Amino acid sequence: MHPTNNASSLSSTLFVIFGAGGDLTWRKLMPALYNLWLDGWLPHDFVITGIDRRQMSKDDFAQHIRDGIDQFSRQGKSDDKQWADFATHLDYVSADFGAAATFADLAERVAALGKEWSQPPNVVYYLAISPALIQMVVEGLGKVGLADDRDHASIVVEKPFGRDLDSARALNSMLTQTFAETQIYRIDHYLGKETVQNILAMRFANAIFEPLWNRTSIERVEITVAESVGVEHRGGYYDHAGAVRDMIQNHLLQIFCLISMEPPIVFAADEIRDKKVEVLRAVRPIAPEKVDQLAKRGQYEGYRQEPDVSASSNTETFAQLTLHVDNWRWQGVPFVLRTGKALKDKVSLVKIRFRSIPHRAFPAAAVPRWPRNELQIHIQPNEGIDICMLAKEPGPELLLKPVDMNFRYSEDFAKKPMPEAYETLLLDVMQRDATLFMRGDQVETAWRVVMPVLDAWGHSDDQPTVYPVGSWGP
Ligand code: BG6
């Protein structure tokens, strides 16, 4: 998170992408870097080196990247002149991640740029690769000393961070044999979303919420991330993951942390991350005999016929977990986390439902319905916040009706475009600000929360409840 747009505050940077020929680079990383560049965030001395097995000339790579930008950039098609300028910062190397020469050449390149720029470059190694290749690349970098400069070298790791607690531990231990924790940026793109970042601002920059933010006033919290798409072309990955691994262990638990954590003392990376780990540690472990009651799963109709999905798959495409937090603030307040694919609509929403008023002084005829007050955080779409309350309808009779007080990004910040999550996060990495990234202990604690459910479902022959495509789930 960056207080001011001051490109010069970023020192000369080399951004190395392993897996530069892949989908993530094409759809997300390069459009984000291009937009950062257009908006003046990148320094004068700036090089992006794409590394991939694919044989491609530098020009072909640039053209491929430009096609992606033209399709996916929030700022629309690239302008010829601006593109020509940006393309001078692009470099492509087709290389084998298993070959020592790949890393020796890279080390030479880093040294040469250091000389050219007269200072050690800030180097970001971005792993846009399959989890199976991570160790090879990390060790390759380590062997030639590219991880040694603790102050200038960083590595970005994409999810999945393991597929259970043990594999996450193994991944963390492998990474920290080469890089220090302060050099490792585990990315969760939900944390880059403006509306998710705004949860901290809403809670801790305003006086009116915090006094109510506890079990005395709040009855229940619901975090829903619904998607209308199915697994699309990712059946091979998804069928081994499922909704809990793909969404709840990371994105939904991140939102949960921001809603439930204690106030930070200062707005600093480790302070905020400490507070998140603390509340995750307070989540009551789900006992095996409670799994059926606290966790629900579903599978959309036709999922088993999707490409690369097993015809007898029990993988859940919908999951709902009810968590309880054993601390003073939240005792007795259920947190319901749910997510699913092939649902009726794409909507990510947090609902904070308040307790009912202690005494109803109004005559029954004045209030046909007593809805609870609710605070709704619309993460996407229709980004904003609503407070649902009762108001007197105008007119001589006494009649109370539910109304919404709302804040919408599209109205209040109409002139401020919303950056894509990856823009925020990539700039943070280059500025070495880890506030919006997950520390190793947080990833492991999040796995600990979901493991009882994954274990129970993994050992059960029960099948997820089938739900129709386009419904709200089971
Ligand atoms: C990804 C999941 O992390 O997040 C996908 O792997 C999911 O399955 C996606 O579709 C959702 O992200 P967003 O930003 O579209 O809500």
Side-chain angles (χ1 to χ4, degrees):
M1 282 170 271
H2 347 279
T4 50
N5 179 346
N6 180 0
S8 61
S9 70
L10 197 58
S11 60
S12 36
T13 298
L14 169 63
F15 199 99
V16 181
I17 305 178
F18 289 92
D23 220 41
L24 179 69
T25 305
W26 192 57
R27 285 171 191 267
K28 297 286 184 192
L29 304 184
M30 290 307 304
L33 288 167
Y34 185 63
N35 282 326
L36 286 172
W37 181 79
L38 282 184
D39 292 346
W41 284 104
L42 300 186
H44 176 263
D45 293 333
F46 178 66
V47 170
I48 301 169
T49 295
I51 307 187
D52 202 291
R53 224 175 244 188
R54 266 168 79 171
Q55 290 292 338
M56 248 190 300
S57 69
K58 199 178 136 186
D59 288 346
D60 289 346
F61 175 66
Q63 189 51 50
H64 167 70
I65 292 304
R66 187 175 186 186
D67 288 346
I69 288 170
D70 287 349
Q71 284 183 58
F72 304 113
S73 160
R74 66 174 167 84
Q75 308 209 47
K77 282 199 163 206
S78 54
D79 162 273
D80 283 342
K81 196 171 159 305
Q82 286 173 325
W83 171 259
D85 201 350
F86 179 74
T88 62
H89 298 265
L90 281 183
D91 206 357
Y92 183 75
V93 181
S94 68
D96 185 345
F97 300 156
T102 303
F103 299 95
D105 291 350
L106 186 58
E108 264 178 35
R109 177 79 170 130
V110 173
L113 283 175
K115 270 203 192 123
E116 188 184 323
W117 292 337
S118 310
Q119 56 179 311
N122 194 13
V123 189
V124 176
Y125 301 103
Y126 202 109
L127 307 186
I129 51 179
S130 115
L133 298 173
I134 294 181
Q135 183 161 3
M136 190 185 272
V137 173
V138 169
E139 289 176 359
L141 292 168
K143 275 190 194 133
V144 294
L146 284 175
D148 292 353
D149 186 343
R150 300 284 194 243
D151 299 327
H152 294 97
S154 337
I155 187 157
V156 185
V157 189
E158 278 278 341
K159 70 177 261 268
F161 307 105
R163 52 172 286 107
D164 52 24
L165 179 56
D166 289 344
S167 52
R169 279 195 184 127
L171 177 61
N172 281 336
S173 132
M174 185 276 289
L175 288 168
T176 49
Q177 272 163 36
T178 299
F179 288 89
E181 179 62 38
T182 51
Q183 295 175 283
I184 304 171
Y185 292 75
R186 296 175 192 78
I187 204 163
D188 180 322
H189 78 283
Y190 263 65
L191 289 178
K193 290 184 192 279
E194 284 294 334
T195 41
V196 173
Q197 294 179 59
N198 189 50
I199 296 173
L200 287 181
M202 184 196 78
R203 286 192 58 197
F204 304 128
N206 294 295
I208 56 174
F209 298 113
E210 197 49 24
L212 302 178
W213 214 257
N214 55 55
R215 65 190 303 273
T216 313
S217 307
I218 293 177
E219 185 177 78
R220 174 186 174 87
V221 177
E222 289 185 18
I223 302 172
T224 304
V225 177
E227 294 186 274
S228 50
V229 292
V231 291
E232 301 180 294
H233 57 284
R234 297 165 72 228
Y237 149 75
Y238 194 88
D239 205 34
H240 292 102
V244 171
R245 289 188 173 90
D246 185 49
M247 298 291 288
I248 294 192
Q249 188 273 343
N250 36 77
H251 307 324
L252 276 87
L253 279 179
Q254 285 298 327
I255 299 173
F256 161 81
C257 286
L258 294 169
I259 296 290
S260 61
M261 66 190 253
E262 293 301 312
I265 297 163
V266 284
F267 200 84
D270 268 329
E271 169 66 11
I272 289 175
R273 299 193 301 176
D274 284 346
K275 292 291 191 281
K276 289 184 179 181
V277 175
E278 198 176 278
V279 73
L280 281 175
R281 283 180 41 231
V283 173
R284 186 180 309 158
I286 299 182
E289 66 278 10
K290 288 266 176 76
V291 168
D292 281 351
Q293 183 194 333
L294 298 176
K296 310 275 173 226
R297 60 180 161 153
Q299 189 184 74
Y300 66 80
E301 232 170 338
Y303 169 72
R304 292 177 176 187
Q305 283 78 55
E306 295 277 23
D308 304 320
V309 167
S310 150
S312 56
S313 172
N314 268 353
T315 300
E316 79 286 357
T317 60
F318 174 99
Q320 174 174 307
L321 261 54
T322 302
L323 303 179
H324 289 94
V325 184
D326 281 333
N327 66 11
W328 193 283
R329 185 189 286 266
W330 294 117
Q331 193 56 240
V333 180
F335 284 77
V336 179
L337 278 57
R338 69 168 80 85
T339 184
K341 292 205 182 275
L343 298 178
K344 195 169 168 59
D345 225 340
K346 180 171 172 72
V347 48
S348 300
L349 177 66
V350 181
K351 286 186 181 178
I352 316 278
R353 196 206 284 165
F354 289 88
R355 295 196 185 279
S356 54
I357 55 168
H359 169 62
R360 297 179 178 180
F362 291 88
V367 200
R369 205 159 69 78
W370 278 100
R372 302 277 207 287
N373 289 130
E374 202 166 80
L375 183 105
Q376 299 185 345
I377 303 170
H378 294 260
I379 290 170
Q380 63 190 26
N382 207 10
E383 290 80 0
I385 296 176
D386 293 343
I387 295 180
C388 314
M389 52 191 256
L390 279 175
K392 183 190 167 298
E393 203 176 271
E397 60 292 56
L398 179 60
L399 208 50
L400 306 191
K401 283 273 171 72
V403 294
D404 284 352
M405 279 202 313
N406 46 44
F407 145 59
R408 282 287 164 276
Y409 280 79
S410 56
E411 290 164 18
D412 293 270
F413 298 123
K415 296 212 173 84
K416 279 297 264 188
M418 288 261 226
E420 286 285 337
Y422 271 96
E423 291 173 43
T424 305
L425 296 172
L426 297 191
L427 186 55
D428 279 1
V429 175
M430 291 186 268
Q431 295 183 332
R432 298 180 69 92
D433 177 349
T435 313
L436 299 179
F437 295 82
M438 290 179 295
R439 219 168 44 193
D441 54 345
Q442 193 192 355
V443 171
E444 291 178 19
T445 318
W447 275 115
R448 205 168 287 132
V449 169
V450 298
M451 280 323 293
V453 175
L454 291 174
D455 285 342
W457 289 353
H459 291 118
S460 148
D461 292 330
D462 294 354
Q463 301 192 348
T465 314
V466 173
Y467 59 92
V469 170
S471 65
W472 280 122

